[in-house]
């Protein structure tokens, strides 16, 4: 019951404090909407998680709809090479840093909250809760008109304590934002189908690689998948929600099916034979995540919360969002069509973002120091240099094409073993591949590396995201010597943490000649086979 106050012997109900704050926000929002409708430019939108899978696609969708975008990122350079980078304002910050969130919220109309601590280990629920609290408080203080959050679809009638930690945290974050005093729309989705999404990659690799599967019992659970294009359409549509709307919306595609149905229909769309699927009750979420981790590029740390979320039926119980963001004439995208669209984008090498676009939780993120004396302590180096009778462009084309299907140009078995060892200890392993077969950009994941810096034609610096006792980098560069000859330079660098870090370096040092020496020789050899384009 809310607070009361006496007046003339009667009792007058006073709205709760949160309702008063929302009422003020509604007034500010309506004032802004009047201004916008009078001919001003589109609304000012803040997008957190702009380097992630959904955020990286939402930004251009908002721009296409005529809105102005401010991207909020811990590492702004990751956004530098996106095709829309010169059309947005980028603000550096962290959702756990209230001061940086406050700066990002200035003059913002709509704030999108697209971050979460999925796969970051124990305590992620507390971190998600704290980040949402900071975001909501700073949005209210800045007079933001609306918050939009993409959460997870939860089953009806299941107590929150019985949900998977992942879904429970998503629900709690939504509740924190709804109660913050700013009108909030919480969109709740189940499985998102689109090129590069974690859910799609799991479905794709399981179905393509296993014609016969012994599967967990959750493959019989009902699910309502949704195409990523419809998710983006709903997210953009929330910009125009009436100011008084403060609620959750279930979003899903037009079909409800089981995960087993999804695999069989994927096989049909992809032109594969019918799959034999044998569900058994003994595969726990932990074992399921290990199974997924062995077969797909998605590591167990991410696979487990996704698998746990499939224990319960996740289908929409209302479609009220369609009253505010109507579907196109053909309706929402069906499951088979969503698969075709995703597979076509993969075939055409037009995957804009992937599940691995966001940094791996727990991976070191500080950039390589430029101080040649390395003020941060020990720095082990393995340096190679070769003169190559090719053009710089030919050598660069080999360098930029490294990894993924092209491999690492040295001792494939050693790289494969290193990838398997990383998976065993919970790392990302070697199977993340590439977003694009020819081109790289800052922030791209590349097997168990991430692109930290790229200067086209000159430098590629990769930062290791495998499990190591210290940060590591691999630099590949193109130069010319005094005689004008093309020079290939390669540096592997490792900054050991403690005694274990030093022991690790010296334990692998005997293999460097085969691994790194072979890499330098084979890259330069491959460059000799590339058609040479000499400048006039």
């Amino acid at each position: 019951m809310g607070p009361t106050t006496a007046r003339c012997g009667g009792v007058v109900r006073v709205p709760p404090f949160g309702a008063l704050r929302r009422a003020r926000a509604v007034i500010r929002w309506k004032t802004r909407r009047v201004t916008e409708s009078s001919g001003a430019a589109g609304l000012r939108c803040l997008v957190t998680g702009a380097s992630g899978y959904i955020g990286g696609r939402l930004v251009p969708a908002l721009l296409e709809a005529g809105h102005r975008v401010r991207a909020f990122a811990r590492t702004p350079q990751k956004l530098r090479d996106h095709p829309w980078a010169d059309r947005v304002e980028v603000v550096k910050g962290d959702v756990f840093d209230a001061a940086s969130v406050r700066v990002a919220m200035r003059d913002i109309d709509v704030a999108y909250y697209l971050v979460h601590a999925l796969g970051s280990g124990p305590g992620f629920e507390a971190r998600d809760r704290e980040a949402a609290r900071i975001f909501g408080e700073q949005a209210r203080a800045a007079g933001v008109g609306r918050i939009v959050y993409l959460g997870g679809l939860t089953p009806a009638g299941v107590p929150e304590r019985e949900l998977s930690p992942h879904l429970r945290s998503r629900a709690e974050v939504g509740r924190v934002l709804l109660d913050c005093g700013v009108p909030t729309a919480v969109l709740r989705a189940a499985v998102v189908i689109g090129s590069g999404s974690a859910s799609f990659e799991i479905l794709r690799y399981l179905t393509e690689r296993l014609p016969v599967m012994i599967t967990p019992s959750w493959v019989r659970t009902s699910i309502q998948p949704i195409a990523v294009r419809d998710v983006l359409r709903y997210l953009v549509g929330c910009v125009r929600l009436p100011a008084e709307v403060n609620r959750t919306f279930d979003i899903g595609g037009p079909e409800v099916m089981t995960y087993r149905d999804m695999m069989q229909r994927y096989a049909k769309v992809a032109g594969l034979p019918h799959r034999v699927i044998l569900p058994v009750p003994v595969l726990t979420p932990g074992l399921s995540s290990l199974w997924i981790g062995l077969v797909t590029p998605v590591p167990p740390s991410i696979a487990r919360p996704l698998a746990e979320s499939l224990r319960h039926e996740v289908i929409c119980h209302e479609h009220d969002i369609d009253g505010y963001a109507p579907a196109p004439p053909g309706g929402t995208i069906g499951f088979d069509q969503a698969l075709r669209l995703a597979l076509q984008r993969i075939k055409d090498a037009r995957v804009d973002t992937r599940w691995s676009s966001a940094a791996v939780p727990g991976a070191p993120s500080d950039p390589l120091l430029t101080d040649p004396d390395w003020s941060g302590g020990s720095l082990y180096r393995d340096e190679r240099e070769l003169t190559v009778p090719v053009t710089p462009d030919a050598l660069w084309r080999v360098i930029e094409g490294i990894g993924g299907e092209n491999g690492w140009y040295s001792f494939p078995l050693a790289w494969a073993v290193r990838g398997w060892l990383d998976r065993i200890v919970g790392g990302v392993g070697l199977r993340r591949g590439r977003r694009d077969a020819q081109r790289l950009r800052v922030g791209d994941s590349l097997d168990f590396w991430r692109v930290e810096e790229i200067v086209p034609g000159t430098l590629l610096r990769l930062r290791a995201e495998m499990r190591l006792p210290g940060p590591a980098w691999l630099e590949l560069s193109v130069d010319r010597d005094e005689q004008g000859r093309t020079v290939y330079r390669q540096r592997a660098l490792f900054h050991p943490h403690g005694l274990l870090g030093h022991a690790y370096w010296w334990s692998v040092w005997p293999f460097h000649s085969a691994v790194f020496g072979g890499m330098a020789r084979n890259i330069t050899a491959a460059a000799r086979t590339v058609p040479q384009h000499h400048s006039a």
Side-chain angles (χ1 to χ4, degrees), residues 380 382 384 418 421 468-469 494 501-516:
Y380 289 118
D382 182 287
R384 314 273 168 168
R418 185 65 186 87
L421 290 174
L468 291 171
F494 178 64
H502 291 278
Y504 171 81
W505 174 265
W506 291 112
S507 69
V508 299
W509 180 79
F511 304 100
H512 282 191
S513 178
V515 175
F516 292 123

Side-chain angles (χ1 to χ4, degrees), residues 75-315:
T75 312
Q77 57 265 38
K78 286 185 179 180
L79 306 179
R80 187 190 69 195
D81 298 328
H82 284 262
W84 41 259
D86 60 347
R87 300 170 59 198
V88 305
E89 176 189 0
V90 179
V91 174
K92 181 177 181 179
D94 192 294
V95 289
F96 294 102
D97 177 14
S100 65
V101 176
R102 186 180 310 121
V103 171
M105 290 286 186
R106 289 174 183 166
D107 302 319
I108 289 296
D109 297 312
V110 181
Y112 286 89
Y113 191 74
L114 303 174
V115 296
H116 57 84
L118 176 65
S120 64
F124 80 92
E125 291 181 78
R127 289 192 292 274
D128 270 344
R129 184 187 315 118
E130 176 65 9
R133 182 191 63 78
I134 291 172
F135 193 83
E137 288 181 352
Q138 296 306 319
R140 184 182 70 245
V144 171
R146 172 161 300 284
I147 292 172
V148 182
Y149 168 57
L150 179 61
L153 194 57
T154 56
V158 177
E160 195 168 292
R161 65 180 180 277
E162 296 180 11
L163 297 176
S164 70
H166 166 54
L167 282 184
R168 188 167 60 237
S169 179
R170 291 295 188 95
E172 182 179 27
V173 167
R175 192 165 57 251
V176 169
L177 295 174
L178 286 166
D179 292 341
C180 76
V182 177
T184 297
V186 175
L187 304 188
R188 308 193 310 168
V191 173
V192 176
I193 301 297
S195 59
S197 77
S199 298
F200 175 76
E201 292 288 277
I202 291 173
L203 175 67
R204 173 190 174 199
Y205 279 87
L206 288 178
T207 309
E208 290 186 354
R209 293 182 173 180
L210 300 176
V212 178
M213 286 176 267
I214 297 176
T215 61
S217 58
W218 50 251
V219 298
R220 297 170 174 162
T221 303
S222 295
I223 307 166
Q224 190 165 356
I226 182 171
V228 67
R229 295 190 186 195
D230 284 323
V231 173
L232 296 171
R233 179 174 58 81
Y234 285 134
L235 286 170
V236 173
C238 283
V239 165
R240 301 298 181 186
L241 284 175
E244 62 273 12
V245 172
N246 186 72
R247 54 164 291 184
T248 64
F249 291 97
D250 292 352
I251 60 172
E255 301 166 88
V256 175
M257 63 194 74
T258 66
Y259 204 91
R260 181 175 183 166
D261 294 334
M262 290 169 61
M263 289 190 283
Q264 296 292 12
R265 289 174 65 171
Y266 178 95
K268 185 176 180 179
V269 170
L272 302 172
H274 185 80
R275 272 24 198 167
V276 177
I277 301 172
L278 305 172
V280 296
V282 295
L283 287 181
T284 64
L287 290 174
S288 297
S289 65
L290 291 176
W291 169 63
I292 292 171
L294 287 172
V295 179
T296 81
V298 180
S301 60
I302 293 177
R304 176 161 188 160
L306 294 178
E308 287 180 332
S309 300
L310 295 174
R311 291 181 304 176
H312 302 290
E313 182 180 84
V314 279
I315 62 175

Side-chain angles (χ1 to χ4, degrees), residues 414-438:
W415 285 92
V417 169
R418 185 65 186 87
W420 278 106
L421 290 174
D422 194 53
R423 300 286 283 198
I424 290 172
V425 297
V428 296
L430 196 63
R431 294 201 303 254
R432 289 191 300 182
R434 299 171 53 110
R435 177 190 58 84
D436 186 291
Q438 283 83 40

Side-chain angles (χ1 to χ4, degrees), residues 48-56 73-75 78-79 82 114-118 196 198 299 302 352-365 428 432 435 441-447 449-451 465:
T48 61
S51 62
Y53 176 70
I54 292 293
R74 286 180 300 176
T75 312
K78 286 185 179 180
L79 306 179
H82 284 262
L114 303 174
V115 296
H116 57 84
L118 176 65
I302 293 177
D352 299 323
T353 59
R354 300 178 67 211
W355 63 270
S356 56
S357 297
V360 173
S365 58
V428 296
R432 289 191 300 182
R435 177 190 58 84
R441 65 190 184 201
V442 171
D444 272 358
S445 61
L446 183 59
D447 293 326
W449 304 88
R450 188 170 297 276
V451 179
E465 288 192 334

